[in-house]
Amino acid sequence: MGRWEPNGRERLAKAALELYGERGFEQTTVAEIAKRAGLTERTFFRHYADKREVLFAGSGELERLFADAVADVPPSATPLDALAAGLDAVCEMFEERREFAGKRHAVISATAELRERELIKLASLAAALADTLRRRGVPEPVASLTAETGVAVFKVAFERWITADEQRPLVRVARDSLEQLKAVAAGSAPAGVGGGAAPAPTEAQPSA
Amino acid sequence: MGRWEPNGRERLAKAALELYGERGFEQTTVAEIAKRAGLTERTFFRHYADKREVLFAGSGELERLFADAVADVPPSATPLDALAAGLDAVCEMFEERREFAGKRHAVISATAELRERELIKLASLAAALADTLRRRGVPEPVASLTAETGVAVFKVAFERWITADEQRPLVRVARDSLEQLKAVAAGSAPAGVGGGAAPAPTEAQPSA
DNA sequence: ATCTCTGATGTCAGTTACTGTCGTCAACGC
DNA sequence: GCGTTGACGACAGTAACTGACATCAGAGAT
């Protein structure tokens, strides 16, 4: 047995999520988080670069998962198909953690500072995806555009999935969003309500 | 004449951009910025909410310009065409300020904290665009997807334009990027090297 | 068994971003 | 003239973060 309780890092993360949820991010001091975790402020900053980062420790894992899945798709596939495979892999990871993801998402979307941090993590994800696509031989700017598109689709799908009234699994929502984006880009959705003139996109559910 | 030199706000912005460029963002204190502007630290925070915001004061104007242009497109146009009109309007505004935009961009991309702020401004822009599209009768999630796509295209185009070896006007680069995105989404760009199968996206003339 | 080295933590002092409060003084309207 | 307003300075305070150094259990070497 060590001199201190084990898993200090995890205790800090747990305490932070709790306190951010109870009092809000700005009303919580790092000293309070450390105290709840039975540690000191200085130790908090040894584990997490700043007060926000404690909520984003897992983002590196997500990035690797997504990029690896894209890299593993056969080279004959289009960039968009490779993207779809990555999307599938990432969505699967979230399915089991919906409750945790919900709490975390609520805290983040309540505070501008945390939204900033989330956005830069997503940007980092897009950069990693673009890099992976380039390694597959996809030229610029197609690689970057595809990567940004993939992140946008994930973002939109996640927001819908985390909503209370969305029952489908995340992977289903994501695939649907991707199909809709394809339809938009193909110009099949006129601005006017209804889109009657559109050549019936693949299977666009009138879910909205 | 007032008790103080006029245009304190602008002097602060100028001093900040200079100092961020000379020593870097993190190595510059707010006290130094204020001193160079002939004011005090307290006054800096009266004009700008925080040390980063001084570089993003004009973003509200950009947002209005973009959204208004999208709103003014005839309702018969597709969402993507409306987006293209907004893109044109925004690009025009940048053409005259390339030097300033370059300095600002160099400072921002050198510091993670500033990149975060830029990203949230772009997200705010996307939200405003999505709102405008919904007012045009575009349903969700198409409105959000289209808005995110528009911002992504602008981002990619701006990055290319600000590069020293890019000679074309921003509006040309942006239109080209949009065309390439359409091609990607249409599935015309195989993952295999070269994109030779694609219908020559590189010099796509602004047929839009 | 002792010794040393390592790693996770505590302690403390310091810098700086940011805020609240109050005072000052020119300009402006009456 | 006179009160009000608006922009700023002065000053004190909080809290995020950093650097330097101390402490002490455990692991491995001797």
Side-chain angles (χ1 to χ4, degrees):
Chain A
M1 260 178 281
R3 193 167 157 201
W4 295 275
E5 296 294 314
N7 306 114
R9 184 183 170 91
E10 286 68 32
R11 267 156 43 219
L12 285 166
K14 183 169 175 286
L17 181 58
E18 286 172 7
L19 285 166
Y20 293 168
E22 291 168 15
R23 318 183 189 174
F25 174 79
E26 286 160 15
Q27 281 63 49
T28 303
T29 70
V30 174
E32 288 168 342
I33 298 170
K35 189 176 180 184
R36 182 170 292 197
L39 294 167
T40 64
E41 198 179 339
R42 191 66 185 88
T43 298
F44 178 93
F45 288 110
R46 284 204 182 90
H47 284 289
Y48 302 102
D50 58 56
K51 196 184 165 187
R52 300 177 244 172
E53 195 62 19
V54 64
L55 291 180
F56 297 92
S59 67
E61 193 191 345
L62 176 74
E63 192 172 308
R64 248 172 287 116
L65 191 66
F66 204 151
D68 288 353
V70 169
D72 285 349
V73 173
S76 60
T78 66
L80 218 55
D81 286 341
L83 199 64
L87 231 29
D88 281 2
V90 161
C91 290
E92 186 190 352
M93 177 183 134
F94 277 91
E95 304 287 3
E96 311 158 357
R97 315 190 191 175
R98 184 163 177 165
E99 190 183 333
F100 169 80
K103 282 182 192 166
R104 182 175 167 280
H105 182 252
V107 169
I108 290 172
S109 47
T111 305
E113 264 186 281
L114 292 172
R115 267 177 281 143
E116 287 190 350
R117 180 57 52 87
E118 170 144 73
L119 290 172
I120 207 171
K121 295 293 184 182
L122 290 175
S124 164
L125 174 59
L129 290 179
D131 194 55
T132 303
L133 288 170
R134 277 190 298 268
R135 282 185 217 281
R136 290 173 59 86
V138 180
E140 284 296 0
V142 174
S144 290
L145 286 166
T146 306
E148 295 281 349
T149 299
V151 170
V153 168
F154 175 72
K155 225 171 95 181
V156 169
F158 182 85
E159 296 265 350
R160 290 171 76 84
W161 173 69
I162 212 67
T163 291
D165 61 331
E166 175 58 73
Q167 301 298 328
R168 298 173 294 169
L170 176 55
V171 62
R172 195 74 62 91
V173 183
R175 284 178 177 170
D176 185 43
S177 298
L178 186 56
E179 290 308 315
Q180 298 210 30
L181 176 66
K182 285 182 187 172
V184 175
S188 66
V193 186
T202 40
E203 59 129 24
Q205 304 285 357
S207 52
Chain B
M1 262 183 275
R3 195 169 153 199
W4 294 275
E5 296 294 314
N7 305 114
R9 186 182 169 88
E10 285 69 30
R11 266 154 45 217
L12 285 166
K14 182 168 177 287
L17 182 59
E18 287 173 7
L19 284 166
Y20 292 169
E22 291 169 15
R23 319 182 188 175
F25 174 79
E26 286 159 16
Q27 281 63 49
T28 302
T29 70
V30 175
E32 288 168 342
I33 298 169
K35 189 176 179 184
R36 180 170 295 197
L39 295 168
T40 65
E41 198 178 338
R42 191 65 186 87
T43 297
F44 178 93
F45 288 109
R46 284 204 183 90
H47 285 289
Y48 301 102
D50 59 56
K51 196 184 163 186
R52 301 177 243 171
E53 195 63 19
V54 64
L55 291 180
F56 297 91
S59 66
E61 192 190 345
L62 175 75
E63 191 172 308
R64 248 172 287 119
L65 191 66
F66 203 150
D68 288 351
V70 169
D72 285 349
V73 174
S76 59
T78 66
L80 220 55
D81 285 341
L83 199 65
L87 230 30
D88 281 2
V90 161
C91 290
E92 187 190 352
M93 177 185 133
F94 276 91
E95 303 288 3
E96 312 158 356
R97 314 189 192 175
R98 184 163 179 165
E99 189 182 333
F100 169 81
K103 281 181 191 167
R104 182 174 168 281
H105 182 254
V107 168
I108 291 172
S109 46
T111 305
E113 265 186 281
L114 292 172
R115 265 177 282 144
E116 286 190 350
R117 180 57 52 87
E118 170 144 74
L119 290 172
I120 207 171
K121 295 294 185 181
L122 290 175
S124 164
L125 174 60
L129 291 179
D131 194 57
T132 302
L133 289 169
R134 277 191 299 267
R135 282 185 218 281
R136 289 173 59 87
V138 180
E140 285 293 1
V142 174
S144 289
L145 286 166
T146 307
E148 295 281 348
T149 300
V151 171
V153 168
F154 175 71
K155 224 172 96 181
V156 169
F158 182 85
E159 296 265 350
R160 291 173 74 86
W161 175 68
I162 212 65
T163 291
D165 61 331
E166 175 58 74
Q167 299 299 327
R168 297 173 295 168
L170 176 55
V171 62
R172 195 73 65 90
V173 183
R175 284 178 176 174
D176 185 42
S177 296
L178 186 56
E179 290 307 316
Q180 297 209 30
L181 176 67
K182 285 182 188 173
V184 174
S188 66
V193 185
T202 326
E203 251 330 309
Q205 284 304 321
S207 57

